[in-house]
PDB file of all heavy atoms in Angstrom:
ATOM      1  N   THR A 881       0.827  -1.217   0.000  1.00 96.00           N
ATOM      2  CA  THR A 881       0.000   0.000   0.000  1.00 96.00           C
ATOM      3  C   THR A 881       0.857   1.261   0.000  1.00 96.00           C
ATOM      4  O   THR A 881       0.386   2.327  -0.390  1.00 96.00           O
ATOM      5  CB  THR A 881      -0.919   0.054   1.229  1.00 96.00           C
ATOM      6  OG1 THR A 881      -0.137   0.281   2.415  1.00 96.00           O
ATOM      7  CG2 THR A 881      -1.711  -1.231   1.377  1.00 96.00           C
ATOM      8  N   LYS A 882       2.099   1.132   0.509  1.00 95.00           N
ATOM      9  CA  LYS A 882       3.008   2.276   0.662  1.00 95.00           C
ATOM     10  C   LYS A 882       2.424   3.365   1.569  1.00 95.00           C
ATOM     11  O   LYS A 882       2.786   4.536   1.475  1.00 95.00           O
ATOM     12  CB  LYS A 882       3.392   2.864  -0.698  1.00 95.00           C
ATOM     13  CG  LYS A 882       4.207   1.920  -1.577  1.00 95.00           C
ATOM     14  CD  LYS A 882       4.589   2.556  -2.898  1.00 95.00           C
ATOM     15  CE  LYS A 882       5.590   1.728  -3.680  1.00 95.00           C
ATOM     16  NZ  LYS A 882       5.207   0.336  -3.883  1.00 95.00           N
ATOM     17  N   LYS A 883       1.491   2.968   2.433  1.00 97.00           N
ATOM     18  CA  LYS A 883       0.844   3.884   3.368  1.00 97.00           C
ATOM     19  C   LYS A 883       1.164   3.478   4.801  1.00 97.00           C
ATOM     20  O   LYS A 883       1.310   2.290   5.103  1.00 97.00           O
ATOM     21  CB  LYS A 883      -0.675   3.862   3.188  1.00 97.00           C
ATOM     22  CG  LYS A 883      -1.168   4.240   1.802  1.00 97.00           C
ATOM     23  CD  LYS A 883      -1.184   5.741   1.603  1.00 97.00           C
ATOM     24  CE  LYS A 883      -1.842   6.124   0.293  1.00 97.00           C
ATOM     25  NZ  LYS A 883      -1.874   7.596   0.110  1.00 97.00           N
ATOM     26  N   SER A 884       1.266   4.462   5.694  1.00 97.00           N
ATOM     27  CA  SER A 884       1.372   4.141   7.109  1.00 97.00           C
ATOM     28  C   SER A 884       0.126   3.357   7.501  1.00 97.00           C
ATOM     29  O   SER A 884      -0.998   3.761   7.189  1.00 97.00           O
ATOM     30  CB  SER A 884       1.459   5.419   7.946  1.00 97.00           C
ATOM     31  OG  SER A 884       2.667   6.094   7.693  1.00 97.00           O
ATOM     32  N   SER A 885       0.320   2.240   8.192  1.00 98.00           N
ATOM     33  CA  SER A 885      -0.809   1.336   8.408  1.00 98.00           C
ATOM     34  C   SER A 885      -0.525   0.355   9.532  1.00 98.00           C
ATOM     35  O   SER A 885       0.614   0.242  10.004  1.00 98.00           O
ATOM     36  CB  SER A 885      -1.111   0.571   7.112  1.00 98.00           C
ATOM     37  OG  SER A 885       0.087   0.052   6.545  1.00 98.00           O
ATOM     38  N   SER A 886      -1.569  -0.349   9.931  1.00 98.00           N
ATOM     39  CA  SER A 886      -1.396  -1.371  10.966  1.00 98.00           C
ATOM     40  C   SER A 886      -2.499  -2.411  10.866  1.00 98.00           C
ATOM     41  O   SER A 886      -3.597  -2.128  10.386  1.00 98.00           O
ATOM     42  CB  SER A 886      -1.377  -0.747  12.366  1.00 98.00           C
ATOM     43  OG  SER A 886      -2.656  -0.233  12.690  1.00 98.00           O
ATOM     44  N   VAL A 887      -2.171  -3.607  11.325  1.00 98.00           N
ATOM     45  CA  VAL A 887      -3.130  -4.704  11.433  1.00 98.00           C
ATOM     46  C   VAL A 887      -2.860  -5.432  12.743  1.00 98.00           C
ATOM     47  O   VAL A 887      -1.700  -5.674  13.090  1.00 98.00           O
ATOM     48  CB  VAL A 887      -3.006  -5.702  10.255  1.00 98.00           C
ATOM     49  CG1 VAL A 887      -3.889  -6.940  10.500  1.00 98.00           C
ATOM     50  CG2 VAL A 887      -3.390  -5.052   8.935  1.00 98.00           C
ATOM     51  N   ILE A 888      -3.928  -5.766  13.462  1.00 98.00           N
ATOM     52  CA  ILE A 888      -3.799  -6.569  14.676  1.00 98.00           C
ATOM     53  C   ILE A 888      -4.788  -7.726  14.582  1.00 98.00           C
ATOM     54  O   ILE A 888      -5.950  -7.526  14.217  1.00 98.00           O
ATOM     55  CB  ILE A 888      -4.097  -5.775  15.962  1.00 98.00           C
ATOM     56  CG1 ILE A 888      -3.428  -4.401  15.943  1.00 98.00           C
ATOM     57  CG2 ILE A 888      -3.649  -6.562  17.197  1.00 98.00           C
ATOM     58  CD1 ILE A 888      -3.863  -3.486  17.073  1.00 98.00           C
ATOM     59  N   ILE A 889      -4.319  -8.917  14.905  1.00 98.00           N
ATOM     60  CA  ILE A 889      -5.197 -10.081  14.994  1.00 98.00           C
ATOM     61  C   ILE A 889      -5.065 -10.661  16.396  1.00 98.00           C
ATOM     62  O   ILE A 889      -3.944 -10.844  16.891  1.00 98.00           O
ATOM     63  CB  ILE A 889      -4.841 -11.154  13.943  1.00 98.00           C
ATOM     64  CG1 ILE A 889      -5.045 -10.607  12.535  1.00 98.00           C
ATOM     65  CG2 ILE A 889      -5.683 -12.410  14.147  1.00 98.00           C
ATOM     66  CD1 ILE A 889      -4.726 -11.593  11.434  1.00 98.00           C
ATOM     67  N   SER A 890      -6.194 -10.939  17.031  1.00 98.00           N
ATOM     68  CA  SER A 890      -6.155 -11.476  18.388  1.00 98.00           C
ATOM     69  C   SER A 890      -7.134 -12.624  18.543  1.00 98.00           C
ATOM     70  O   SER A 890      -7.996 -12.857  17.697  1.00 98.00           O
ATOM     71  CB  SER A 890      -6.481 -10.374  19.415  1.00 98.00           C
ATOM     72  OG  SER A 890      -7.882 -10.162  19.489  1.00 98.00           O
ATOM     73  N   ASN A 891      -6.991 -13.334  19.645  1.00 98.00           N
ATOM     74  CA  ASN A 891      -7.980 -14.325  20.062  1.00 98.00           C
ATOM     75  C   ASN A 891      -8.831 -13.662  21.133  1.00 98.00           C
ATOM     76  O   ASN A 891      -8.357 -13.426  22.244  1.00 98.00           O
ATOM     77  CB  ASN A 891      -7.279 -15.570  20.615  1.00 98.00           C
ATOM     78  CG  ASN A 891      -8.264 -16.648  21.042  1.00 98.00           C
ATOM     79  OD1 ASN A 891      -9.433 -16.390  21.290  1.00 98.00           O
ATOM     80  ND2 ASN A 891      -7.773 -17.874  21.139  1.00 98.00           N
ATOM     81  N   PRO A 892     -10.103 -13.356  20.835  1.00 98.00           N
ATOM     82  CA  PRO A 892     -10.919 -12.614  21.802  1.00 98.00           C
ATOM     83  C   PRO A 892     -11.275 -13.420  23.047  1.00 98.00           C
ATOM     84  O   PRO A 892     -11.727 -12.853  24.039  1.00 98.00           O
ATOM     85  CB  PRO A 892     -12.178 -12.269  21.002  1.00 98.00           C
ATOM     86  CG  PRO A 892     -12.261 -13.322  19.948  1.00 98.00           C
ATOM     87  CD  PRO A 892     -10.847 -13.651  19.594  1.00 98.00           C
ATOM     88  N   ASN A 893     -11.044 -14.744  23.002  1.00 98.00           N
ATOM     89  CA  ASN A 893     -11.406 -15.605  24.122  1.00 98.00           C
ATOM     90  C   ASN A 893     -10.343 -15.692  25.202  1.00 98.00           C
ATOM     91  O   ASN A 893     -10.595 -16.244  26.278  1.00 98.00           O
ATOM     92  CB  ASN A 893     -11.719 -17.012  23.606  1.00 98.00           C
ATOM     93  CG  ASN A 893     -12.823 -16.999  22.568  1.00 98.00           C
ATOM     94  OD1 ASN A 893     -13.936 -16.576  22.837  1.00 98.00           O
ATOM     95  ND2 ASN A 893     -12.501 -17.434  21.354  1.00 98.00           N
ATOM     96  N   ASN A 894      -9.152 -15.153  24.913  1.00 97.00           N
ATOM     97  CA  ASN A 894      -8.103 -15.146  25.952  1.00 97.00           C
ATOM     98  C   ASN A 894      -7.170 -13.941  25.869  1.00 97.00           C
ATOM     99  O   ASN A 894      -6.289 -13.783  26.713  1.00 97.00           O
ATOM    100  CB  ASN A 894      -7.279 -16.439  25.907  1.00 97.00           C
ATOM    101  CG  ASN A 894      -6.624 -16.673  24.551  1.00 97.00           C
ATOM    102  OD1 ASN A 894      -6.439 -15.743  23.760  1.00 97.00           O
ATOM    103  ND2 ASN A 894      -6.260 -17.912  24.267  1.00 97.00           N
ATOM    104  N   GLY A 895      -7.337 -13.087  24.857  1.00 98.00           N
ATOM    105  CA  GLY A 895      -6.526 -11.874  24.736  1.00 98.00           C
ATOM    106  C   GLY A 895      -5.202 -12.050  24.029  1.00 98.00           C
ATOM    107  O   GLY A 895      -4.431 -11.090  23.902  1.00 98.00           O
ATOM    108  N   GLU A 896      -4.903 -13.261  23.537  1.00 98.00           N
ATOM    109  CA  GLU A 896      -3.635 -13.477  22.836  1.00 98.00           C
ATOM    110  C   GLU A 896      -3.571 -12.659  21.547  1.00 98.00           C
ATOM    111  O   GLU A 896      -4.534 -12.605  20.789  1.00 98.00           O
ATOM    112  CB  GLU A 896      -3.456 -14.952  22.481  1.00 98.00           C
ATOM    113  CG  GLU A 896      -3.131 -15.845  23.655  1.00 98.00           C
ATOM    114  CD  GLU A 896      -2.804 -17.255  23.214  1.00 98.00           C
ATOM    115  OE1 GLU A 896      -2.925 -17.559  21.998  1.00 98.00           O
ATOM    116  OE2 GLU A 896      -2.438 -18.078  24.077  1.00 98.00           O
ATOM    117  N   ILE A 897      -2.421 -12.033  21.317  1.00 98.00           N
ATOM    118  CA  ILE A 897      -2.176 -11.308  20.070  1.00 98.00           C
ATOM    119  C   ILE A 897      -1.418 -12.234  19.128  1.00 98.00           C
ATOM    120  O   ILE A 897      -0.309 -12.681  19.434  1.00 98.00           O
ATOM    121  CB  ILE A 897      -1.350 -10.036  20.319  1.00 98.00           C
ATOM    122  CG1 ILE A 897      -2.102  -9.075  21.247  1.00 98.00           C
ATOM    123  CG2 ILE A 897      -1.014  -9.354  18.995  1.00 98.00           C
ATOM    124  CD1 ILE A 897      -3.341  -8.451  20.665  1.00 98.00           C
ATOM    125  N   LEU A 898      -2.011 -12.530  17.972  1.00 98.00           N
ATOM    126  CA  LEU A 898      -1.383 -13.426  17.000  1.00 98.00           C
ATOM    127  C   LEU A 898      -0.513 -12.658  16.008  1.00 98.00           C
ATOM    128  O   LEU A 898       0.455 -13.203  15.468  1.00 98.00           O
ATOM    129  CB  LEU A 898      -2.448 -14.214  16.243  1.00 98.00           C
ATOM    130  CG  LEU A 898      -3.403 -15.043  17.117  1.00 98.00           C
ATOM    131  CD1 LEU A 898      -4.431 -15.749  16.252  1.00 98.00           C
ATOM    132  CD2 LEU A 898      -2.632 -16.047  17.959  1.00 98.00           C
ATOM    133  N   ALA A 899      -0.868 -11.423  15.766  1.00 98.00           N
ATOM    134  CA  ALA A 899      -0.071 -10.551  14.892  1.00 98.00           C
ATOM    135  C   ALA A 899      -0.346  -9.115  15.290  1.00 98.00           C
ATOM    136  O   ALA A 899      -1.493  -8.754  15.575  1.00 98.00           O
ATOM    137  CB  ALA A 899      -0.414 -10.777  13.422  1.00 98.00           C
ATOM    138  N   LEU A 900       0.698  -8.319  15.339  1.00 98.00           N
ATOM    139  CA  LEU A 900       0.570  -6.886  15.602  1.00 98.00           C
ATOM    140  C   LEU A 900       1.583  -6.198  14.694  1.00 98.00           C
ATOM    141  O   LEU A 900       2.776  -6.185  14.974  1.00 98.00           O
ATOM    142  CB  LEU A 900       0.822  -6.568  17.064  1.00 98.00           C
ATOM    143  CG  LEU A 900       0.497  -5.144  17.529  1.00 98.00           C
ATOM    144  CD1 LEU A 900       0.059  -5.124  18.993  1.00 98.00           C
ATOM    145  CD2 LEU A 900       1.690  -4.213  17.348  1.00 98.00           C
ATOM    146  N   VAL A 901       1.071  -5.678  13.593  1.00 98.00           N
ATOM    147  CA  VAL A 901       1.926  -5.167  12.526  1.00 98.00           C
ATOM    148  C   VAL A 901       1.776  -3.660  12.404  1.00 98.00           C
ATOM    149  O   VAL A 901       0.657  -3.139  12.429  1.00 98.00           O
ATOM    150  CB  VAL A 901       1.577  -5.830  11.178  1.00 98.00           C
ATOM    151  CG1 VAL A 901       2.545  -5.372  10.091  1.00 98.00           C
ATOM    152  CG2 VAL A 901       1.593  -7.348  11.306  1.00 98.00           C
ATOM    153  N   SER A 902       2.899  -2.982  12.295  1.00 98.00           N
ATOM    154  CA  SER A 902       2.907  -1.540  12.057  1.00 98.00           C
ATOM    155  C   SER A 902       3.852  -1.265  10.892  1.00 98.00           C
ATOM    156  O   SER A 902       5.030  -1.643  10.933  1.00 98.00           O
ATOM    157  CB  SER A 902       3.376  -0.788  13.311  1.00 98.00           C
ATOM    158  OG  SER A 902       3.483   0.600  13.062  1.00 98.00           O
ATOM    159  N   TYR A 903       3.322  -0.628   9.854  1.00 97.00           N
ATOM    160  CA  TYR A 903       4.144  -0.327   8.687  1.00 97.00           C
ATOM    161  C   TYR A 903       4.272   1.188   8.507  1.00 97.00           C
ATOM    162  O   TYR A 903       3.279   1.903   8.638  1.00 97.00           O
ATOM    163  CB  TYR A 903       3.537  -0.933   7.416  1.00 97.00           C
ATOM    164  CG  TYR A 903       4.286  -0.504   6.175  1.00 97.00           C
ATOM    165  CD1 TYR A 903       5.460  -1.142   5.800  1.00 97.00           C
ATOM    166  CD2 TYR A 903       3.836   0.580   5.412  1.00 97.00           C
ATOM    167  CE1 TYR A 903       6.168  -0.714   4.688  1.00 97.00           C
ATOM    168  CE2 TYR A 903       4.539   1.006   4.295  1.00 97.00           C
ATOM    169  CZ  TYR A 903       5.704   0.354   3.939  1.00 97.00           C
ATOM    170  OH  TYR A 903       6.413   0.792   2.849  1.00 97.00           O
ATOM    171  N   PRO A 904       5.492   1.690   8.203  1.00 97.00           N
ATOM    172  CA  PRO A 904       6.747   0.935   8.170  1.00 97.00           C
ATOM    173  C   PRO A 904       7.354   0.794   9.566  1.00 97.00           C
ATOM    174  O   PRO A 904       7.010   1.549  10.479  1.00 97.00           O
ATOM    175  CB  PRO A 904       7.633   1.814   7.281  1.00 97.00           C
ATOM    176  CG  PRO A 904       7.152   3.214   7.542  1.00 97.00           C
ATOM    177  CD  PRO A 904       5.668   3.090   7.762  1.00 97.00           C
ATOM    178  N   SER A 905       8.239  -0.164   9.701  1.00 96.00           N
ATOM    179  CA  SER A 905       8.945  -0.377  10.974  1.00 96.00           C
ATOM    180  C   SER A 905      10.444  -0.326  10.742  1.00 96.00           C
ATOM    181  O   SER A 905      10.926  -0.680   9.663  1.00 96.00           O
ATOM    182  CB  SER A 905       8.574  -1.737  11.579  1.00 96.00           C
ATOM    183  OG  SER A 905       7.245  -1.763  12.018  1.00 96.00           O
ATOM    184  N   VAL A 906      11.171   0.099  11.749  1.00 94.00           N
ATOM    185  CA  VAL A 906      12.623   0.198  11.627  1.00 94.00           C
ATOM    186  C   VAL A 906      13.268  -1.156  11.888  1.00 94.00           C
ATOM    187  O   VAL A 906      12.648  -2.063  12.447  1.00 94.00           O
ATOM    188  CB  VAL A 906      13.213   1.242  12.596  1.00 94.00           C
ATOM    189  CG1 VAL A 906      12.724   2.622  12.258  1.00 94.00           C
ATOM    190  CG2 VAL A 906      12.891   0.890  14.022  1.00 94.00           C
ATOM    191  N   GLU A 907      14.505  -1.272  11.515  1.00 91.00           N
ATOM    192  CA  GLU A 907      15.298  -2.470  11.750  1.00 91.00           C
ATOM    193  C   GLU A 907      15.914  -2.410  13.143  1.00 91.00           C
ATOM    194  O   GLU A 907      16.761  -1.561  13.416  1.00 91.00           O
ATOM    195  CB  GLU A 907      16.393  -2.577  10.679  1.00 91.00           C
ATOM    196  CG  GLU A 907      17.344  -3.736  10.845  1.00 91.00           C
ATOM    197  CD  GLU A 907      16.637  -5.065  10.703  1.00 91.00           C
ATOM    198  OE1 GLU A 907      16.185  -5.391   9.590  1.00 91.00           O
ATOM    199  OE2 GLU A 907      16.546  -5.770  11.736  1.00 91.00           O
ATOM    200  N   SER A 908      15.485  -3.296  14.023  1.00 93.00           N
ATOM    201  CA  SER A 908      15.972  -3.287  15.406  1.00 93.00           C
ATOM    202  C   SER A 908      17.472  -3.495  15.498  1.00 93.00           C
ATOM    203  O   SER A 908      18.133  -3.012  16.423  1.00 93.00           O
ATOM    204  CB  SER A 908      15.250  -4.369  16.228  1.00 93.00           C
ATOM    205  OG  SER A 908      13.867  -4.111  16.303  1.00 93.00           O
ATOM    206  N   ASN A 909      18.042  -4.226  14.530  1.00 91.00           N
ATOM    207  CA  ASN A 909      19.482  -4.503  14.550  1.00 91.00           C
ATOM    208  C   ASN A 909      20.324  -3.227  14.452  1.00 91.00           C
ATOM    209  O   ASN A 909      21.470  -3.202  14.903  1.00 91.00           O
ATOM    210  CB  ASN A 909      19.854  -5.449  13.409  1.00 91.00           C
ATOM    211  CG  ASN A 909      19.351  -6.855  13.646  1.00 91.00           C
ATOM    212  OD1 ASN A 909      19.544  -7.418  14.723  1.00 91.00           O
ATOM    213  ND2 ASN A 909      18.681  -7.424  12.660  1.00 91.00           N
ATOM    214  N   LEU A 910      19.746  -2.185  13.864  1.00 89.00           N
ATOM    215  CA  LEU A 910      20.483  -0.921  13.757  1.00 89.00           C
ATOM    216  C   LEU A 910      20.808  -0.368  15.144  1.00 89.00           C
ATOM    217  O   LEU A 910      21.896   0.172  15.370  1.00 89.00           O
ATOM    218  CB  LEU A 910      19.670   0.103  12.971  1.00 89.00           C
ATOM    219  CG  LEU A 910      19.461  -0.167  11.479  1.00 89.00           C
ATOM    220  CD1 LEU A 910      18.491   0.846  10.896  1.00 89.00           C
ATOM    221  CD2 LEU A 910      20.790  -0.124  10.737  1.00 89.00           C
ATOM    222  N   PHE A 911      19.874  -0.509  16.077  1.00 88.00           N
ATOM    223  CA  PHE A 911      20.064   0.033  17.422  1.00 88.00           C
ATOM    224  C   PHE A 911      21.006  -0.828  18.254  1.00 88.00           C
ATOM    225  O   PHE A 911      21.829  -0.315  18.996  1.00 88.00           O
ATOM    226  CB  PHE A 911      18.710   0.162  18.124  1.00 88.00           C
ATOM    227  CG  PHE A 911      17.773   1.107  17.459  1.00 88.00           C
ATOM    228  CD1 PHE A 911      16.765   0.639  16.629  1.00 88.00           C
ATOM    229  CD2 PHE A 911      17.893   2.477  17.632  1.00 88.00           C
ATOM    230  CE1 PHE A 911      15.890   1.507  15.999  1.00 88.00           C
ATOM    231  CE2 PHE A 911      17.025   3.361  17.012  1.00 88.00           C
ATOM    232  CZ  PHE A 911      16.022   2.869  16.194  1.00 88.00           C
ATOM    233  N   SER A 912      20.866  -2.138  18.142  1.00 86.00           N
ATOM    234  CA  SER A 912      21.690  -3.018  18.974  1.00 86.00           C
ATOM    235  C   SER A 912      23.134  -3.072  18.497  1.00 86.00           C
ATOM    236  O   SER A 912      24.050  -3.296  19.283  1.00 86.00           O
ATOM    237  CB  SER A 912      21.103  -4.442  18.995  1.00 86.00           C
ATOM    238  OG  SER A 912      21.043  -4.986  17.693  1.00 86.00           O
ATOM    239  N   SER A 913      23.341  -2.839  17.195  1.00 80.00           N
ATOM    240  CA  SER A 913      24.705  -2.883  16.651  1.00 80.00           C
ATOM    241  C   SER A 913      25.396  -1.526  16.707  1.00 80.00           C
ATOM    242  O   SER A 913      26.617  -1.442  16.595  1.00 80.00           O
ATOM    243  CB  SER A 913      24.680  -3.378  15.198  1.00 80.00           C
ATOM    244  OG  SER A 913      24.138  -4.670  15.122  1.00 80.00           O
ATOM    245  N   GLY A 914      24.614  -0.467  16.880  1.00 78.00           N
ATOM    246  CA  GLY A 914      25.186   0.882  16.910  1.00 78.00           C
ATOM    247  C   GLY A 914      24.763   1.656  15.683  1.00 78.00           C
ATOM    248  O   GLY A 914      25.111   1.298  14.553  1.00 78.00           O
ATOM    249  N   LEU A 915      23.996   2.704  15.889  1.00 74.00           N
ATOM    250  CA  LEU A 915      23.391   3.466  14.810  1.00 74.00           C
ATOM    251  C   LEU A 915      24.315   4.614  14.385  1.00 74.00           C
ATOM    252  O   LEU A 915      24.802   5.371  15.224  1.00 74.00           O
ATOM    253  CB  LEU A 915      22.054   4.024  15.308  1.00 74.00           C
ATOM    254  CG  LEU A 915      20.989   4.425  14.306  1.00 74.00           C
ATOM    255  CD1 LEU A 915      20.545   3.236  13.471  1.00 74.00           C
ATOM    256  CD2 LEU A 915      19.796   5.014  15.038  1.00 74.00           C
ATOM    257  N   SER A 916      24.531   4.745  13.077  1.00 77.00           N
ATOM    258  CA  SER A 916      25.314   5.879  12.583  1.00 77.00           C
ATOM    259  C   SER A 916      24.430   7.120  12.522  1.00 77.00           C
ATOM    260  O   SER A 916      23.195   7.028  12.539  1.00 77.00           O
ATOM    261  CB  SER A 916      25.872   5.580  11.188  1.00 77.00           C
ATOM    262  OG  SER A 916      24.822   5.554  10.238  1.00 77.00           O
ATOM    263  N   ILE A 917      25.052   8.291  12.440  1.00 85.00           N
ATOM    264  CA  ILE A 917      24.302   9.540  12.361  1.00 85.00           C
ATOM    265  C   ILE A 917      23.434   9.563  11.099  1.00 85.00           C
ATOM    266  O   ILE A 917      22.278  10.001  11.124  1.00 85.00           O
ATOM    267  CB  ILE A 917      25.262  10.750  12.360  1.00 85.00           C
ATOM    268  CG1 ILE A 917      25.986  10.836  13.708  1.00 85.00           C
ATOM    269  CG2 ILE A 917      24.505  12.044  12.079  1.00 85.00           C
ATOM    270  CD1 ILE A 917      27.035  11.900  13.775  1.00 85.00           C
TER     271      ILE A 917
END
């Protein structure tokens, strides 16, 4: 879609989250490895 967006899927009978998606998302490895300016 190239749009800021999100989708969440849950089990309403116990509150479990099966998917929680936010687009776009950053790469977590950038922070743990050291982010350049």
